[in-house]
Amino acid sequence: LKCAGVFCSRYVKEHMVKHNADTQHPVALSFSDLSFWCYSCDDYVQSPKLRAVLKHFQKLKFPEDSKDLENKMEELAIKEEDDKEEEEDDDEEEEKKKTEKPSKVPAKDLKARRTALDENEELKAKVKTTGLDYLDIDDLCEKIKSGKFKRISLLTGAGISVSAGIPDFRSPGSGLYSQLEKFKLPYPEAVFTLDFFGQNPEPFFLLSKQLYQPEHFKPTPTHWFIRLLQDKKLLNVNMTQNIDGLEHLAGLPEDKVVECHGHFRSAHCTGCQDKISFSTMEKHIREGKPLYCKKDSCGKPCKPDIVFFGEQLPLQFMLTTTQVLPKTDLLIVMGTSLNVFPFAALVDTVKETCPRVLINRELTGTISGGFEDDDDNYRDIFLQGDCDDVIHTLVEKLGWTEEFEALKKSKVKKMGAK
């Protein structure tokens, strides 16, 4: 950062790439997604030392005196007041639940960890500040059942949609990127850049044809679990990296889902920025054929509101990050490697006393602000396995099986315009 050079993008037209080659300056700050990138490592730079710099640029990008921001903040304040009234109405019911004795059958392999925690008075006291007594699934479920956690937030990634049959991007031969080899992309991710899209939008529409099939891809058990949290008035917000829209097919309300990387339910022209009807864009996506603006003065390709590399994340992302997530009293992260920024940094936006649960095939986010698995850990619980399998275990321990199974049989909503 010492040269303070400003370039269009990390990769588009190789402006910054050439600068790196000429000067050997490896680190760049991306103003589009508020992250640091290292060309030597070809990866994001992950360090708590950079948070102050990122906060500074965050204020520059989203000034507090922005008219749009003020309006959104006011809407959030009104909604928060409504939520508070709903919580007060539910107090009586919650008090009744607390008098019920929760069932508990601790697993033998957890006894040693509980004993060790009981013997460490200092760490045990710190764990208690989170609302938990122990860092395991049994104690977690007890506390949810007793009404300890009323604002549960979720961060979700591609792992929660795997069982829906949605193809991934990178698997050799079967991945979506491999199906675009005939177009000779400069690099696979180029299909999601405005520069390449402007020259040749066909690869994106062919890829979208494979990805957008709401009649074939149904919500997974994990999606229905999120819906169940909403029905029980426990869901604070679901922030997702996914663009498949399965949250909406499961019936989650718009104001409870933040699609950080966009969605297919609205579209616009990349030239004149005119809005394009959902039905028109959907027809072209299903056919795998590019859609161009009909204005004689424009003629540029149109795209759904999927966030491309270099594009600004939705305003709702920053509003939720600064106004909604900090009020979380339990954070659950599912099916994400926590490698893509700024989404990966969201785990660090909740209070230091907020317990965090990671449901994933492997431990991830071992950087500061990620999920800890060491002797000093006082708030992180790692539940290893496929998301759906772990969710079924959670549902059983919570005593929600009957409601959960009934919800899974409910009618799936149709995909509609945003």
Side-chain angles (χ1 to χ4, degrees):
L1 294 175
K2 56 187 175 184
C3 69
V6 180
F7 304 91
C8 296
S9 168
R10 287 199 301 257
Y11 282 105
V12 173
K13 294 185 178 177
E14 299 189 347
H15 289 181
M16 180 60 205
V17 177
K18 186 176 185 304
H19 176 76
N20 167 243
D22 293 343
T23 64
Q24 299 304 304
H25 294 168
V27 180
L29 182 144
S30 173
F31 196 56
S32 64
D33 62 5
L34 295 176
S35 64
F36 283 94
W37 182 264
C38 177
Y39 288 89
S40 298
C41 305
D42 196 31
D43 203 352
Y44 288 99
V45 180
Q46 305 170 356
S47 169
K49 295 179 180 179
L50 299 174
R51 288 178 194 155
V53 182
L54 288 177
K55 284 182 179 178
H56 171 71
F57 279 95
Q58 178 179 311
K59 289 179 180 178
L60 290 176
K61 184 172 181 178
F62 299 99
E64 293 180 1
D65 60 352
S66 164
K67 186 71 177 175
D68 196 11
L69 188 63
E70 283 182 3
N71 292 338
K72 290 286 184 181
M73 295 273 279
E74 188 176 341
E75 288 175 15
L76 281 170
I78 294 171
K79 186 178 179 304
E80 183 183 340
E81 201 59 41
D82 292 341
D83 288 344
K84 188 176 180 181
E85 288 178 10
E86 281 186 16
E87 283 182 15
E88 289 173 356
D89 291 340
D90 289 340
D91 277 348
E92 266 186 54
E93 190 177 337
E94 293 297 336
E95 286 301 321
K96 288 179 182 178
K97 286 182 181 178
K98 289 178 183 179
T99 61
E100 298 174 4
K101 187 176 180 180
S103 57
K104 176 183 174 184
V105 185
K108 291 182 180 178
D109 59 343
L110 296 178
K111 276 189 175 181
R113 294 185 69 175
R114 287 194 170 199
T115 301
L117 184 58
D118 287 336
E119 292 173 353
N120 187 335
E121 293 184 7
E122 184 178 349
L123 185 59
K124 183 68 180 287
K126 202 170 182 182
V127 170
K128 282 184 173 294
T129 64
T130 69
L132 293 169
D133 292 317
Y134 299 97
L135 299 176
D136 59 57
I137 190 170
D138 289 311
D139 191 54
L140 173 69
C141 289
E142 275 191 26
K143 297 303 187 291
I144 294 176
K145 287 166 67 176
S146 68
K148 184 69 179 178
F149 303 119
K150 296 181 179 180
R151 289 180 178 269
I152 302 176
S153 294
L154 296 104
L155 306 180
T156 57
I160 75 167
S161 295
V162 170
S163 63
I166 295 176
D168 64 20
F169 284 88
R170 301 181 185 278
S171 294
S174 62
L176 291 172
Y177 284 149
S178 66
Q179 298 178 34
L180 303 176
E181 289 178 356
K182 64 180 180 180
F183 291 101
K184 297 181 180 180
L185 303 178
Y187 49 94
E189 294 83 359
V191 70
F192 289 116
T193 63
L194 286 175
D195 188 56
F196 185 84
F197 182 81
Q199 298 172 33
N200 183 9
E202 187 179 357
F204 172 81
F205 277 87
L206 287 175
L207 181 146
S208 297
K209 181 180 178 180
Q210 300 295 318
L211 193 59
Y212 180 82
Q213 299 183 40
E215 67 275 13
H216 297 305
F217 302 141
K218 306 300 181 186
T220 67
T222 302
H223 290 99
W224 290 119
F225 174 74
I226 301 171
R227 164 68 186 278
L228 187 55
L229 289 176
Q230 166 63 17
D231 289 354
K232 289 181 173 292
K233 299 180 180 179
L234 295 175
L235 181 63
N236 186 36
V237 69
N238 176 198
M239 299 190 73
T240 182
Q241 294 173 292
N242 300 336
I243 59 175
D244 51 45
L246 293 183
E247 297 83 8
H248 298 282
L249 295 184
L252 283 168
E254 290 271 358
D255 65 342
K256 288 293 184 179
V257 181
V258 178
E259 291 157 303
C260 303
H261 297 160
H263 52 77
F264 287 101
R265 300 188 312 284
S266 61
H268 69 280
C269 170
T270 58
C272 64
Q273 302 300 313
D274 276 4
K275 291 183 179 180
I276 307 299
S277 73
F278 171 71
S279 58
T280 301
M281 178 56 71
E282 184 181 41
K283 179 178 181 292
H284 280 259
I285 288 175
R286 288 187 181 280
E287 294 174 351
K289 296 179 180 179
L291 171 64
Y292 293 91
C293 183
K294 293 183 178 180
K295 278 186 177 180
D296 293 335
S297 59
C298 184
K300 297 290 185 181
C302 304
K303 64 180 277 290
D305 291 334
I306 305 297
V307 179
F308 278 16
F309 291 110
E311 283 193 298
Q312 183 169 303
L313 292 176
L315 175 63
Q316 196 63 25
F317 174 87
M318 192 55 64
L319 289 168
T320 305
T321 300
T322 57
Q323 300 297 316
V324 181
L325 274 184
K327 295 170 184 175
T328 301
D329 54 26
L330 173 63
L331 180 69
I332 301 178
V333 182
M334 299 189 283
T336 172
S337 61
L338 291 178
N339 283 328
V340 177
F341 282 74
F343 186 88
L346 295 179
V347 296
D348 204 28
T349 61
V350 296
K351 301 186 294 288
E352 290 187 358
T353 55
C354 175
R356 307 180 300 185
V357 181
L358 173 65
I359 301 174
N360 207 41
R361 289 180 178 177
E362 57 188 16
L363 187 65
T364 185
T366 53
I367 59 166
S368 176
F371 284 81
E372 302 296 332
D373 192 32
D374 55 38
D375 295 337
D376 296 326
N377 173 36
Y378 70 95
R379 64 167 174 166
D380 294 340
I381 301 174
F382 176 40
L383 304 180
Q384 188 169 21
D386 290 333
C387 292
D388 291 346
D389 293 340
V390 176
I391 287 301
H392 277 110
T393 302
L394 274 173
V395 167
E396 184 180 351
K397 289 180 178 291
L398 287 166
W400 296 352
T401 301
E402 187 175 341
E403 298 165 88
F404 181 63
E405 293 300 325
L407 199 54
K408 281 165 52 179
K409 294 175 184 176
S410 61
K411 189 175 181 179
V412 175
K413 284 186 66 178
K414 288 185 177 181
M415 188 72 79
K418 183 175 174 62

